[in-house]
Amino acid sequence: MLATDILIQDHLLAISLVDELEGVINDERGNRETFRDLKAALELHIREEEEVYYPALAELDEFSDLMDENVAEHAMVRANLAQMSELSPADATFQTLLTETRLALEAHMEIEESDIFPRSIELLGEERINELGNQIDQMKGDAGLSLSAGI
């Protein structure tokens, strides 16, 4: 499977989990589990991009600045997730951080899905993007989240 397709699936999963957590008014166990799922999904997605996808793109002059720009975005998401881990999903601060995270994710997704992904396929070729997809799927498998598991 193409790495870009896997990363798009990751994006959709993250947004669906954010949707579940938005506006939570109580702190049921399920909300904490949903947050744990969101945190795990985003942490793995960030690793997929930083360890597999972005390094392959960085070999091209056109994408040489990609790592620096996107790693900064990833750092903000990681910081938000760390703060959110200490809070109840029903907490107002948690919800504010969740909104910030959603906005960052949506901006990130828009740039990747409308520009970076299509250009990467064009410049690297489908075969190379498929190889990267296999590496990402292996990473997911190592984390217990292979494509066959529906992620």
Side-chain angles (χ1 to χ4, degrees):
M1 178 178 257
L2 296 175
T4 51
D5 291 342
I6 296 169
L7 296 172
I8 288 170
Q9 288 177 358
D10 289 353
H11 292 165
L12 295 173
L13 174 63
I15 290 299
S16 72
L17 292 169
V18 169
D19 287 344
E20 287 183 45
L21 289 167
E22 282 184 326
V24 167
I25 57 173
N26 57 37
D27 190 24
E28 296 174 27
R29 190 178 77 181
N31 294 328
R32 288 188 184 275
E33 289 174 12
T34 300
F35 174 69
R36 279 193 295 275
D37 291 347
L38 173 64
K39 185 177 179 193
L42 286 174
E43 288 173 345
L44 181 58
H45 178 75
I46 288 169
R47 283 189 52 229
E48 293 164 8
E49 289 185 340
E50 290 181 359
E51 295 175 21
V52 177
Y53 186 67
Y54 293 164
L57 294 183
E59 296 171 7
L60 303 170
D61 289 338
E62 186 167 347
F63 293 111
S64 60
D65 294 335
L66 183 68
M67 279 289 281
D68 293 337
E69 295 168 13
N70 285 0
V71 168
E73 290 175 3
H74 290 169
M76 186 277 295
V77 169
R78 282 183 175 120
N80 280 7
L81 291 171
Q83 287 181 302
M84 292 162 70
S85 293
E86 303 298 319
L87 302 168
S88 159
D91 185 279
T93 303
F94 179 99
Q95 290 294 317
T96 298
L97 291 166
L98 184 65
T99 298
E100 287 176 14
T101 302
R102 173 191 273 285
L103 294 173
L105 289 172
E106 289 174 343
H108 178 85
M109 290 166 52
E110 173 63 28
I111 291 167
E112 283 188 342
E113 293 179 17
S114 68
D115 182 37
I116 295 170
F117 291 172
R119 283 192 306 143
S120 72
I121 294 169
E122 178 183 321
L123 295 170
L124 290 174
E126 282 193 26
E127 185 175 324
R128 178 69 176 126
I129 298 297
N130 192 60
E131 290 170 7
L132 298 174
N134 290 337
Q135 291 175 30
I136 290 171
D137 193 36
Q138 178 64 47
M139 186 179 282
K140 285 184 179 298
D142 292 346
L145 299 171
S146 70
L147 288 175
S148 60
I151 301 289

